Amino acid sequence: MSGTTPDREGAPARRRGRPPRTESGDTRDRILTVAREEFSERGYEKTSVRGIAKAAGVDSALVHHYFGTKEQVFEAAVAVAFAPALHAPDAVGAGPLDGIGERLTRFFFGIWENPTTRAPLLAIVRSAVNNETAAAVLRRLIASQLLRRIAGQLEPPDAELRAELAAAQLMGCVMLRYVIKMEPMASADLEQIIARAAPVVQGHLTGA
Amino acid sequence: MSGTTPDREGAPARRRGRPPRTESGDTRDRILTVAREEFSERGYEKTSVRGIAKAAGVDSALVHHYFGTKEQVFEAAVAVAFAPALHAPDAVGAGPLDGIGERLTRFFFGIWENPTTRAPLLAIVRSAVNNETAAAVLRRLIASQLLRRIAGQLEPPDAELRAELAAAQLMGCVMLRYVIKMEPMASADLEQIIARAAPVVQGHLTGA
C-alpha cells in the first residue's frame, strides 16, 4: 500500500477526480483493499463510501468513479474475497465425475480452514444475513460464478437445485463449525467431516 | 397485552420491585413478549434491557429481577421462539428409526415454512451470526435441547456429530431458501427439497 511517489505527495490536490493513468491501478487496488477491510470489520450496513474514502486517503468521488454505488463497492470487495472460492468449478472439473463430491468438499473446507481466506468470507456471510442488499450481492455472485458453473457440468433438468442442495450441506457445516461453533462439529477432525460430507455432496450432484 | 387492572393503573409506584404474586405471571409474560419483539426487530446488539423495560411499561429493575442480565433475557426470549422446534425430538421419536430422517426433515421445514414460527427463528440466526454472546445462547439451546435429545436416540460413539451433520444439511437449506434466498432453492417445491434432504438426514443419523 505504499507506492506513493514524491510527485504525488507534493500534489495532494490530484487526489480529487481521476488520477493520472499510471497511478490509477494502484489507487483502485488500495481503495478495494480498504473497502474489504471496512466491510469485514463493520459489516455492510455500518460501512460508508465516505469512510472507505477517508481510510484510503482519497475523495469519495474517486471511490464512486471507480466502483459506483456502495452496493457496487461491496460487490467488488466481495469478488476479491470470493476469488479463491471461484476456482472451485476448476477443482471440481479436474477429474472423473464420480470424485466430484470429494474434490468439491476438500476444496471448500480448504478455503474455510485457512484463517486468511475464512475471515473475508465470514464477513460476507454476516453482512448477507443481516442486509437484503448484501444478500442480493452474495446471491448474484454464488449463482453466476459458482453454482451455475458447477451445475453446467451436471445433467439437466435439475442440475441447479442439485448444486444448491450440495452447497446447503457444505454451508450448514460452515455455520455450525465456524460461525455458531457447535461442538463436536467445531473441533471435530476435518477428515472425519469430509468423510461424511463428501458422499452427501456427491449424492446430491450425481445421485439418482 | 392488556390485563392491567384499575388498581395497578392507580398505583404506578408498584411497578418498581417485585409485583404482587397474582400479577407476576402476567407481567413476566408481557416482558418476555416485548423482549422477543425487540430482539427480533433490532437484533441482539441493538436491544437493551432499558428499551425492553420501557416498551413493556415496567422498570428495568423488574426485567433484571425476572430474568437477570441482557444475555439471560435473550436466552429466555429465544427459548420461547424455539419452543416449536423443541418438539422435534418427540416428532423424531414417534416412529421407526428408519423413518427418522423424513420425520425430522418434515418437522423442520414445517416450522420454517410457517411465517409465524419462521420470523423469530430468523431473528435468532441473525443475532447469532453477528454477536458472540447471542451465538453462545443459541449454541447452548441447540445442544442441550435439540441435538443431544436426538443424538440420545442414536448409537454411540459419534451420535452427536451425526446429529450435527444432519442439522447442517437442514440449516444450509434454511440459509439458501429463507435467508440468502437463492434460486431455485428459494422457490422450489417443498416436497422436492424434502425428497432430497430427508435421505441425507437419515443417512447421517443412522447410516454406516
Side-chain angles (χ1 to χ4, degrees), chain A residues 111-167:
Chain A
I111 292 168
W112 280 93
E113 285 289 302
N114 178 345
T116 311
T117 42
R118 179 170 67 235
L121 291 173
L122 264 180
I124 295 161
V125 170
R126 292 201 166 106
S127 289
V129 164
N130 281 275
N131 181 281
E132 181 44 44
T133 309
V137 170
L138 181 60
R139 205 155 54 218
R140 278 200 299 275
L141 209 70
I142 298 179
S144 66
Q145 298 296 317
L146 206 55
L147 292 181
R148 267 171 217 154
R149 285 161 73 187
I150 292 175
Q153 304 181 39
L154 309 175
E155 292 294 317
D158 57 355
E160 291 185 4
L161 185 61
R162 285 170 175 271
E164 289 187 5
L165 283 156

Coordinates of all heavy atoms in Angstrom, one line a residue, chain A residues 111-167:
Chain A
I111 N -10.6 -23.7 1.9 CA -10.8 -22.3 2.0 C -11.2 -21.9 3.4 O -10.7 -20.9 3.9 CB -11.8 -21.8 0.9 CG1 -11.3 -22.0 -0.5 CG2 -12.2 -20.4 1.2 CD1 -12.3 -21.8 -1.6
W112 N -12.2 -22.6 3.9 CA -12.7 -22.2 5.2 C -11.8 -22.5 6.4 O -11.9 -21.9 7.5 CB -14.1 -22.8 5.5 CG -15.2 -22.1 4.7 CD1 -15.6 -22.3 3.5 CD2 -15.9 -20.9 5.2 NE1 -16.6 -21.4 3.2 CE2 -16.8 -20.5 4.2 CE3 -15.8 -20.2 6.4 CZ2 -17.6 -19.4 4.3 CZ3 -16.7 -19.1 6.5 CH2 -17.5 -18.7 5.5
E113 N -10.9 -23.5 6.3 CA -10.0 -23.8 7.4 C -8.9 -22.8 7.5 O -8.3 -22.7 8.5 CB -9.4 -25.2 7.1 CG -10.3 -26.4 7.5 CD -10.6 -26.5 8.9 OE1 -9.7 -26.7 9.7 OE2 -11.8 -26.4 9.3
N114 N -8.5 -22.2 6.4 CA -7.5 -21.2 6.3 C -8.0 -19.8 6.8 O -8.8 -19.2 6.2 CB -7.0 -21.1 4.9 CG -5.9 -20.0 4.7 OD1 -5.6 -19.2 5.6 ND2 -5.2 -20.1 3.6
P115 N -7.4 -19.3 8.0 CA -7.9 -18.1 8.6 C -7.9 -16.9 7.6 O -8.8 -16.1 7.6 CB -7.0 -17.9 9.8 CG -6.4 -19.2 10.1 CD -6.3 -19.9 8.8
T116 N -6.9 -16.9 6.7 CA -6.8 -15.7 5.8 C -7.9 -15.7 4.8 O -8.4 -14.6 4.5 CB -5.4 -15.9 5.0 OG1 -4.4 -16.1 6.0 CG2 -5.2 -14.6 4.2
T117 N -8.3 -16.9 4.3 CA -9.4 -16.9 3.3 C -10.8 -16.9 4.1 O -11.8 -16.6 3.5 CB -9.3 -18.1 2.4 OG1 -8.9 -19.2 3.1 CG2 -8.2 -17.7 1.3
R118 N -10.8 -17.4 5.3 CA -12.0 -17.5 6.1 C -12.6 -16.2 6.5 O -13.8 -15.9 6.4 CB -11.8 -18.4 7.3 CG -13.1 -18.5 8.1 CD -13.0 -19.6 9.2 NE -12.0 -19.2 10.3 CZ -11.0 -20.0 10.6 NH1 -10.8 -21.1 10.1 NH2 -10.2 -19.6 11.6
A119 N -11.7 -15.3 7.0 CA -12.1 -14.0 7.5 C -13.0 -13.2 6.6 O -14.1 -12.8 7.0 CB -10.9 -13.2 8.0
P120 N -12.6 -13.0 5.3 CA -13.5 -12.2 4.5 C -14.8 -12.9 4.1 O -15.8 -12.2 4.0 CB -12.6 -11.9 3.2 CG -11.5 -12.9 3.3 CD -11.3 -13.2 4.7
L121 N -14.7 -14.2 4.0 CA -16.0 -14.9 3.7 C -16.9 -14.9 4.9 O -18.2 -14.7 4.7 CB -15.6 -16.4 3.4 CG -14.9 -16.6 2.1 CD1 -14.5 -18.1 1.9 CD2 -15.8 -16.2 0.9
L122 N -16.4 -15.0 6.1 CA -17.3 -14.8 7.3 C -17.9 -13.5 7.3 O -19.1 -13.3 7.6 CB -16.4 -14.9 8.6 CG -16.4 -16.3 9.2 CD1 -15.5 -16.2 10.5 CD2 -17.8 -16.8 9.6
A123 N -17.2 -12.4 6.9 CA -17.7 -11.1 6.9 C -18.8 -11.0 5.9 O -19.8 -10.3 6.1 CB -16.6 -10.1 6.6
I124 N -18.7 -11.6 4.7 CA -19.7 -11.6 3.7 C -21.0 -12.3 4.2 O -22.1 -11.8 4.0 CB -19.2 -12.3 2.4 CG1 -18.0 -11.5 1.8 CG2 -20.4 -12.4 1.4 CD1 -17.2 -12.3 0.8
V125 N -20.8 -13.4 4.8 CA -22.0 -14.2 5.3 C -22.7 -13.3 6.4 O -23.9 -13.2 6.3 CB -21.5 -15.5 5.9 CG1 -22.7 -16.2 6.7 CG2 -21.0 -16.5 4.8
R126 N -21.9 -12.7 7.3 CA -22.5 -11.9 8.3 C -23.3 -10.7 7.7 O -24.4 -10.4 8.1 CB -21.5 -11.3 9.2 CG -20.8 -12.4 10.1 CD -20.1 -11.8 11.3 NE -19.9 -12.9 12.2 CZ -18.6 -13.4 12.4 NH1 -17.6 -12.9 11.8 NH2 -18.5 -14.4 13.3
S127 N -22.7 -10.0 6.7 CA -23.4 -8.9 6.0 C -24.7 -9.4 5.3 O -25.7 -8.8 5.4 CB -22.5 -8.2 5.0 OG -21.5 -7.5 5.7
A128 N -24.6 -10.5 4.7 CA -25.7 -11.0 3.9 C -26.9 -11.5 4.7 O -28.0 -11.4 4.3 CB -25.2 -12.2 3.0
V129 N -26.6 -12.0 5.9 CA -27.6 -12.5 6.8 C -28.4 -11.3 7.3 O -29.6 -11.4 7.7 CB -27.0 -13.3 7.9 CG1 -28.0 -13.5 9.1 CG2 -26.5 -14.7 7.4
N130 N -27.8 -10.1 7.4 CA -28.4 -9.0 8.1 C -28.9 -7.9 7.1 O -29.5 -7.0 7.6 CB -27.5 -8.4 9.1 CG -27.5 -9.2 10.4 OD1 -28.3 -9.0 11.2 ND2 -26.6 -10.2 10.5
N131 N -28.5 -8.0 5.9 CA -28.9 -6.9 5.0 C -29.3 -7.4 3.6 O -28.5 -8.2 3.0 CB -27.7 -6.0 4.9 CG -28.0 -4.8 4.0 OD1 -27.9 -4.9 2.8 ND2 -28.3 -3.7 4.6
E132 N -30.4 -7.0 3.2 CA -31.0 -7.6 1.9 C -30.1 -7.2 0.7 O -30.0 -8.0 -0.2 CB -32.4 -7.0 1.8 CG -33.2 -7.5 0.6 CD -33.0 -9.0 0.3 OE1 -33.1 -9.9 1.2 OE2 -32.7 -9.4 -0.9
T133 N -29.6 -6.0 0.7 CA -28.7 -5.6 -0.4 C -27.4 -6.5 -0.5 O -27.0 -7.0 -1.5 CB -28.3 -4.1 -0.3 OG1 -29.5 -3.3 -0.1 CG2 -27.6 -3.6 -1.5
A134 N -26.8 -6.7 0.7 CA -25.7 -7.5 0.8 C -26.0 -9.0 0.4 O -25.2 -9.7 -0.3 CB -25.0 -7.5 2.2
A135 N -27.2 -9.4 0.8 CA -27.6 -10.8 0.4 C -27.8 -10.9 -1.1 O -27.4 -11.9 -1.7 CB -29.0 -11.1 1.1
A136 N -28.3 -9.8 -1.7 CA -28.5 -9.9 -3.2 C -27.2 -10.0 -3.9 O -27.0 -10.7 -4.9 CB -29.3 -8.6 -3.6
V137 N -26.2 -9.2 -3.4 CA -24.8 -9.3 -4.0 C -24.3 -10.7 -3.9 O -23.7 -11.3 -4.8 CB -23.9 -8.3 -3.3 CG1 -22.4 -8.5 -3.7 CG2 -24.3 -6.9 -3.6
L138 N -24.4 -11.3 -2.7 CA -23.8 -12.6 -2.5 C -24.6 -13.6 -3.3 O -24.0 -14.5 -3.9 CB -24.0 -13.0 -1.0 CG -23.5 -14.4 -0.6 CD1 -22.0 -14.6 -0.9 CD2 -23.7 -14.7 0.9
R139 N -25.9 -13.5 -3.4 CA -26.7 -14.3 -4.3 C -26.3 -14.3 -5.7 O -26.1 -15.4 -6.3 CB -28.1 -13.8 -4.2 CG -29.2 -14.8 -4.4 CD -30.5 -14.3 -3.7 NE -30.9 -13.0 -4.1 CZ -31.4 -12.1 -3.2 NH1 -31.6 -12.5 -1.9 NH2 -31.8 -10.9 -3.6
R140 N -26.1 -13.1 -6.3 CA -25.7 -13.0 -7.7 C -24.3 -13.7 -7.9 O -24.1 -14.4 -8.9 CB -25.5 -11.5 -8.0 CG -26.8 -10.8 -8.4 CD -26.6 -9.6 -9.2 NE -25.8 -8.6 -8.5 CZ -26.3 -7.6 -7.7 NH1 -27.6 -7.6 -7.5 NH2 -25.6 -6.7 -7.1
L141 N -23.4 -13.4 -6.9 CA -22.1 -14.0 -7.1 C -22.1 -15.5 -7.0 O -21.4 -16.2 -7.8 CB -21.2 -13.4 -6.0 CG -19.7 -13.2 -6.4 CD1 -19.6 -12.2 -7.4 CD2 -18.9 -12.9 -5.2
I142 N -22.8 -16.1 -6.0 CA -22.8 -17.5 -5.9 C -23.4 -18.1 -7.1 O -23.0 -19.1 -7.7 CB -23.6 -18.0 -4.6 CG1 -22.9 -17.5 -3.3 CG2 -23.7 -19.5 -4.6 CD1 -23.7 -17.8 -2.1
A143 N -24.5 -17.5 -7.5 CA -25.3 -18.0 -8.7 C -24.5 -18.0 -10.0 O -24.3 -19.0 -10.6 CB -26.6 -17.3 -8.8
S144 N -24.0 -16.8 -10.3 CA -23.3 -16.7 -11.6 C -22.0 -17.3 -11.7 O -21.6 -17.9 -12.6 CB -23.2 -15.2 -12.0 OG -22.4 -14.5 -11.1
Q145 N -21.2 -17.2 -10.6 CA -19.8 -17.6 -10.6 C -19.7 -19.1 -10.2 O -18.8 -19.8 -10.7 CB -19.0 -16.7 -9.7 CG -19.0 -15.3 -10.2 CD -18.4 -15.1 -11.5 OE1 -17.3 -15.7 -11.8 NE2 -19.0 -14.3 -12.4
L146 N -20.5 -19.5 -9.2 CA -20.1 -20.8 -8.6 C -21.1 -21.9 -9.0 O -20.8 -22.8 -9.7 CB -20.1 -20.6 -7.1 CG -19.3 -21.5 -6.3 CD1 -17.9 -21.5 -6.7 CD2 -19.4 -21.1 -4.8
L147 N -22.4 -21.7 -8.6 CA -23.4 -22.8 -8.8 C -23.6 -23.1 -10.3 O -23.7 -24.2 -10.6 CB -24.7 -22.4 -8.1 CG -24.5 -22.4 -6.5 CD1 -25.8 -22.1 -5.9 CD2 -24.0 -23.8 -6.0
R148 N -23.8 -22.0 -11.1 CA -24.1 -22.3 -12.5 C -23.0 -23.0 -13.2 O -23.2 -23.8 -14.1 CB -24.6 -21.0 -13.2 CG -26.1 -21.0 -13.1 CD -26.7 -19.7 -13.6 NE -27.8 -19.4 -12.7 CZ -28.3 -18.2 -12.5 NH1 -27.8 -17.1 -13.1 NH2 -29.3 -18.0 -11.7
R149 N -21.7 -22.7 -12.8 CA -20.6 -23.3 -13.4 C -20.5 -24.8 -13.0 O -20.1 -25.6 -13.8 CB -19.3 -22.5 -13.1 CG -19.2 -21.2 -13.9 CD -18.3 -20.3 -13.3 NE -16.9 -20.6 -13.5 CZ -15.8 -20.0 -13.0 NH1 -16.1 -18.9 -12.2 NH2 -14.6 -20.4 -13.2
I150 N -20.8 -25.0 -11.7 CA -20.8 -26.4 -11.3 C -22.0 -27.2 -11.9 O -21.8 -28.3 -12.4 CB -20.9 -26.5 -9.7 CG1 -19.6 -26.0 -9.1 CG2 -21.1 -28.0 -9.3 CD1 -19.7 -25.9 -7.6
A151 N -23.1 -26.5 -11.9 CA -24.3 -27.2 -12.4 C -24.1 -27.4 -13.9 O -24.7 -28.4 -14.4 CB -25.5 -26.3 -12.2
G152 N -23.4 -26.6 -14.6 CA -23.1 -26.8 -16.0 C -22.5 -28.1 -16.4 O -22.5 -28.6 -17.5
Q153 N -21.8 -28.7 -15.4 CA -21.1 -30.0 -15.6 C -22.0 -31.2 -15.3 O -21.6 -32.3 -15.4 CB -19.9 -30.1 -14.7 CG -18.9 -28.9 -15.0 CD -17.7 -29.0 -14.2 OE1 -17.1 -30.0 -14.0 NE2 -17.2 -27.8 -13.7
L154 N -23.2 -30.9 -14.8 CA -24.2 -31.9 -14.4 C -25.3 -32.1 -15.4 O -25.4 -31.3 -16.3 CB -24.8 -31.6 -13.0 CG -23.8 -31.3 -11.9 CD1 -24.5 -30.9 -10.7 CD2 -22.8 -32.4 -11.7
E155 N -26.1 -33.2 -15.2 CA -27.2 -33.4 -16.2 C -28.4 -32.5 -15.9 O -28.7 -32.4 -14.7 CB -27.6 -34.9 -16.0 CG -26.6 -35.9 -16.5 CD -26.3 -35.8 -18.0 OE1 -27.3 -35.7 -18.7 OE2 -25.2 -35.9 -18.4
P156 N -29.0 -31.9 -16.9 CA -30.3 -31.3 -16.6 C -31.3 -32.4 -16.3 O -31.0 -33.5 -16.5 CB -30.6 -30.6 -18.0 CG -29.6 -31.2 -19.0 CD -28.5 -31.9 -18.3
P157 N -32.5 -32.0 -15.8 CA -33.1 -30.7 -15.7 C -32.9 -30.0 -14.4 O -33.1 -28.8 -14.3 CB -34.6 -30.9 -16.0 CG -34.8 -32.3 -15.3 CD -33.5 -33.0 -15.4
D158 N -32.5 -30.7 -13.3 CA -32.5 -30.1 -12.0 C -31.1 -29.9 -11.5 O -30.8 -30.0 -10.3 CB -33.3 -31.0 -11.0 CG -32.7 -32.4 -11.0 OD1 -31.8 -32.7 -11.8 OD2 -33.2 -33.2 -10.2
A159 N -30.1 -29.6 -12.4 CA -28.7 -29.5 -12.0 C -28.5 -28.4 -11.0 O -27.7 -28.5 -10.1 CB -27.9 -29.3 -13.3
E160 N -29.2 -27.3 -11.2 CA -29.0 -26.2 -10.3 C -29.5 -26.4 -8.9 O -28.9 -26.1 -7.9 CB -29.7 -24.9 -10.8 CG -28.9 -24.4 -12.1 CD -29.4 -23.1 -12.6 OE1 -30.3 -22.5 -11.9 OE2 -29.0 -22.6 -13.6
L161 N -30.7 -27.1 -8.8 CA -31.2 -27.5 -7.4 C -30.2 -28.5 -6.8 O -29.9 -28.4 -5.6 CB -32.6 -28.1 -7.5 CG -33.2 -28.4 -6.2 CD1 -33.4 -27.1 -5.3 CD2 -34.6 -29.0 -6.4
R162 N -29.7 -29.4 -7.6 CA -28.7 -30.4 -7.0 C -27.5 -29.6 -6.5 O -27.0 -29.9 -5.4 CB -28.3 -31.3 -8.1 CG -29.3 -32.4 -8.5 CD -28.8 -33.1 -9.8 NE -29.7 -34.2 -10.1 CZ -29.5 -35.5 -9.6 NH1 -28.5 -35.7 -8.8 NH2 -30.4 -36.4 -9.9
A163 N -27.0 -28.7 -7.3 CA -25.8 -27.9 -6.8 C -26.1 -27.2 -5.5 O -25.3 -27.1 -4.6 CB -25.4 -27.0 -7.9
E164 N -27.3 -26.6 -5.4 CA -27.7 -25.9 -4.2 C -27.8 -26.8 -3.0 O -27.5 -26.4 -1.9 CB -28.9 -25.0 -4.5 CG -28.6 -23.9 -5.4 CD -29.8 -22.9 -5.5 OE1 -30.8 -23.1 -4.9 OE2 -29.6 -22.0 -6.3
L165 N -28.4 -28.0 -3.2 CA -28.5 -28.9 -2.1 C -27.1 -29.4 -1.6 O -26.9 -29.5 -0.4 CB -29.4 -30.1 -2.5 CG -30.9 -29.8 -2.5 CD1 -31.6 -30.8 -3.5 CD2 -31.5 -29.9 -1.1
A166 N -26.2 -29.6 -2.5 CA -24.8 -29.9 -2.1 C -24.2 -28.7 -1.4 O -23.6 -28.8 -0.3 CB -24.0 -30.2 -3.4
A167 N -24.5 -27.5 -1.9 CA -23.9 -26.3 -1.3 C -24.6 -26.1 0.1 O -23.9 -25.6 1.1 CB -24.3 -25.0 -2.1

